[in-house]
Amino acid sequence: MPDHDVDLLVIGAGSGGVRAARIAAQHGANVLVAEEYRVGGTCVIRGCVPKKLLVYASRFAADFEDAAGYGWTVGKPTFDWATLIANKDLEIARLEAAYTAALERAGARLVKTRAVLEDPHTVRLATGRTVRARHILIATGSSPSNGPAIPAIDQVISSNEAFDLTELPRRILIQGGGYIAMEFANIFAGLGSKVTIVYRGENILRGFDDDVRAHLRSEMEKRGITIVCGRTVTAVARAGRAFTATLSDKSTADVDKVMFALGRPPNVAGLGLEAAGVRLAKNGGIAVDEFSQTSVPSIYAIGDVTNRVNLTPVAIREGHAFADSVFGGRPTPVDHTEVPTAVFSDPEVGAIGLTEAQACERLASVDIYKTSFRPMREHLAGGDSRTFMKLVVDGKTDRVVGCHIVGPDAAEMIQLVGIAVKMKATKADFDAVMAVHPTAAEELVTMREKAFSAKRQAAE
Ligand SMILES: Cc1cc2nc3c(=O)[nH]c(=O)nc-3n(C[C@H](O)[C@H](O)[C@H](O)COP(=O)(O)OP(=O)(O)OC[C@H]3O[C@@H](n4cnc5c(N)ncnc54)[C@H](O)[C@@H]3O)c2cc1C
């Protein structure tokens, strides 16, 4: 009798778990996947996908307004939140079915239940059954932080609930300065809500280039979003169907909803990690090596639960690499450097590589090229929004080590710039490319004047 029931047990059918399970099964492994909620995980059910659908919905308002300058007469548009949410739910259900079918087609089996570790090879399912697995993959993702224990915290929503509100809040306060807070702020503002952002730091989007942070903030403020930095929400009190939020400076805001987007800790609680001997890293994620192997040789972990780079394509890449390494006979480490990323705010942000501050800290010589301009479409539309672009160049090698864009389609642009940056393209390579005219992206290959140049003295 074999000493294992399966070759691989995957805990969590999200972006990373589904990819790992499919590829491992295609390599011939006998795979079982345990999922406690819905197949597709955060990205499909309450993350990237529904978020992007809401982003699309929120941008029509500006399109209707801009159309007049181009000769269109549009009647007074009206918006129905319930229709949007119902259609979003249909699309999510379609995708969930597609993910489930893809797992089945690959030959992996799925059990809809919670799973926890008992030892390095045993997993207990909530159904009571235990499964012995040659390898275990933890792909349990992350969840919204609960936030501080302030009065009426139970009335505060996270991104999870924001996707399923029964009505559009007329006024919403969002606490948080990260990309999820920015995206929801712009979604609600685009749909007509009065939005206030409260963030304890000095400016939004910590970790992004400082010029990007300043530019996006000013663009969002132009759109009527109130951004309050250096403060926190200290209490929330119900006022009929609405709420009064009190801030750390004792000021108050009356709103219909309060949302916190304060980060996403890895889902490690109650997983049985101690029983199995799996160690955590300092940042609270499961500690893994470049092959996603944990401190226990038979147990691997991928995606948000490892708190490396918490993005869907990264979780997918890690899942694929795990399956190739363990079941495909092809050890595949994952490169977590220069990961392109986007914020689907309005305007969008696209970024890759070093910020100006990081480059100045790490490199002996740095050249900065930047530009800010009013995109062509704004002229007839009568808008005053501006696009910002910056290239960070290693002054010694001429390599483009960072690119930062704020403007329409920045996410699409940064995906392509990412190829050049990954290929170690130099500023001269960018300059050698003929511009595509008239586009906004042409600015990326036509920036000639250095905005800033810094050289550090060699260390004594
Ligand atoms: C609002 C929002 C917007 C986002 N937008 C983007 C974006 O635009 N681009 C991008 O790249 N990323 C985005 N992300 C991040 C992205 O969703 C995550 O990085 C990605 O989903 C991580 O994949 P994962 O496989 O690690 O975990 P998940 O996709 O979270 O999957 C984990 C799964 O494990 C299940 N699970 C947990 N514990 C157990 C257990 N004990 N037993 C059984 N099942 C369990 C969960 O139910 C879940 O289905 C967004 C996230 C949020 C919240």
Side-chain angles (χ1 to χ4, degrees):
M1 202 170 109
D3 55 348
H4 297 104
D5 304 312
V6 292
D7 297 320
L8 173 65
L9 193 140
V10 180
I11 309 181
S15 305
V18 167
R19 174 60 70 91
R22 279 179 43 213
I23 303 301
Q26 282 165 9
H27 283 312
N30 176 4
V31 181
L32 184 68
V33 183
E35 169 54 55
E36 68 175 348
Y37 181 54
R38 291 180 67 181
V39 175
T42 303
C43 175
V44 173
I45 309 296
R46 44 198 185 184
C48 335
V49 174
K51 182 268 303 283
K52 191 78 187 279
L53 297 175
L54 266 53
V55 166
Y56 284 131
S58 70
R59 289 184 180 166
F60 283 101
D63 289 344
F64 294 135
E65 256 178 42
D66 292 358
Y70 286 88
W72 288 93
T73 303
V74 181
K76 187 173 170 5
T78 58
F79 168 71
D80 183 43
W81 172 261
T83 302
L84 171 62
I85 297 304
N87 288 344
K88 178 266 294 177
D89 287 343
L90 283 177
E91 176 59 7
I92 300 311
R94 185 187 72 76
L95 287 172
E96 183 180 10
Y99 269 70
T100 307
L103 268 179
E104 283 163 1
R105 259 199 319 275
R109 284 170 303 134
L110 174 70
V111 279
K112 294 293 282 293
T113 181
R114 183 170 169 80
V116 298
L117 300 168
E118 282 207 331
D119 66 38
H121 289 282
T122 312
V123 167
R124 176 170 293 280
L125 305 181
T127 53
R129 179 179 151 207
T130 52
V131 181
R132 295 272 303 158
R134 198 176 298 277
H135 298 280
I136 296 169
L137 178 67
I138 306 172
T140 52
S142 59
S143 297
S145 159
N146 289 333
I150 59 166
I153 184 74
D154 57 317
Q155 306 287 323
V156 171
I157 63 165
S158 72
S159 60
N160 282 354
E161 293 77 37
F163 286 118
D164 295 315
L165 293 175
T166 49
E167 56 190 44
L168 177 68
R170 215 164 39 84
R171 304 157 303 173
I172 184 164
L173 182 152
I174 301 176
Q175 180 167 219
Y179 80 96
I180 292 177
M182 295 313 117
E183 291 176 340
F184 275 100
N186 283 284
I187 288 168
F188 284 119
L191 295 176
S193 307
K194 173 91 194 78
V195 180
T196 303
I197 291 175
V198 176
Y199 176 53
R200 71 176 172 177
E202 73 193 58
N203 203 0
I204 57 170
L205 285 187
R206 187 162 62 90
F208 283 77
D209 186 89
D210 285 340
D211 279 335
V212 165
R213 301 168 75 188
H215 191 89
L216 180 67
R217 181 173 181 170
S218 98
E219 289 297 318
M220 286 171 61
E221 286 172 340
K222 275 189 212 163
R223 295 187 69 209
I225 296 174
T226 304
I227 301 179
V228 181
C229 287
R231 258 154 282 173
T232 55
V233 175
T234 53
V236 175
R238 216 176 221 299
R241 290 191 64 217
F243 296 94
T244 299
T246 305
L247 308 193
S248 44
D249 63 354
K250 306 279 184 268
S251 64
T252 57
D254 294 325
V255 292
D256 302 299
K257 274 281 173 258
V258 180
M259 171 175 166
F260 281 5
L262 301 175
R264 297 181 54 86
N267 285 333
V268 291
L271 255 188
L273 297 179
E274 269 183 34
V278 175
R279 276 202 294 274
L280 293 183
K282 280 205 189 83
N283 66 9
I286 294 178
V288 287
D289 67 10
E290 59 185 331
F291 297 101
S292 297
Q293 191 171 31
T294 72
S295 49
V296 177
S298 57
I299 303 180
Y300 290 72
I302 54 161
D304 283 13
V305 76
T306 62
N307 214 356
R308 288 177 279 184
V309 178
N310 297 342
L311 293 169
T312 288
V314 178
I316 291 174
R317 182 67 66 91
E318 289 166 358
H320 203 126
F322 153 79
D324 282 346
S325 300
V326 176
F327 298 103
R330 213 171 40 236
T332 311
V334 174
D335 175 7
H336 290 93
T337 62
E338 290 166 337
V339 175
T341 185
V343 182
F344 293 94
S345 44
D346 200 356
E348 286 177 5
V349 174
I352 184 168
L354 299 184
T355 64
E356 179 175 334
Q358 287 168 338
C360 288
E361 228 176 79
R362 295 181 202 177
L363 305 177
S365 167
V366 179
D367 294 331
I368 300 293
Y369 297 81
K370 56 183 175 181
T371 179
S372 159
F373 55 94
R374 204 168 151 221
M376 194 174 185
R377 178 181 150 136
E378 292 294 283
H379 292 267
L380 293 200
D384 61 353
S385 133
R386 295 185 74 78
T387 287
F388 172 81
M389 292 179 179
K390 175 189 262 189
L391 291 179
V392 181
V393 178
D394 182 339
K396 227 166 124 192
T397 61
D398 197 38
R399 227 198 112 190
V400 176
V401 291
C403 176
H404 308 273
I405 306 170
V406 188
D409 302 320
E412 303 289 342
M413 285 186 236
I414 208 68
Q415 180 68 82
L416 301 178
V417 172
I419 301 171
V421 171
K422 237 14 213 172
M423 290 179 74
K424 307 195 187 320
T426 60
K427 177 67 169 61
D429 292 326
F430 272 59
D431 295 345
V433 179
M434 204 67 86
V436 178
H437 185 70
T439 63
E442 68 182 302
E443 297 289 330
L444 291 168
V445 297
T446 54
M447 284 189 250
R448 296 278 176 264
E449 300 295 320
K450 283 180 202 168
F452 170 80
S453 190
K455 281 197 177 43
R456 245 204 333 240
Q457 298 296 323
E460 303 278 298

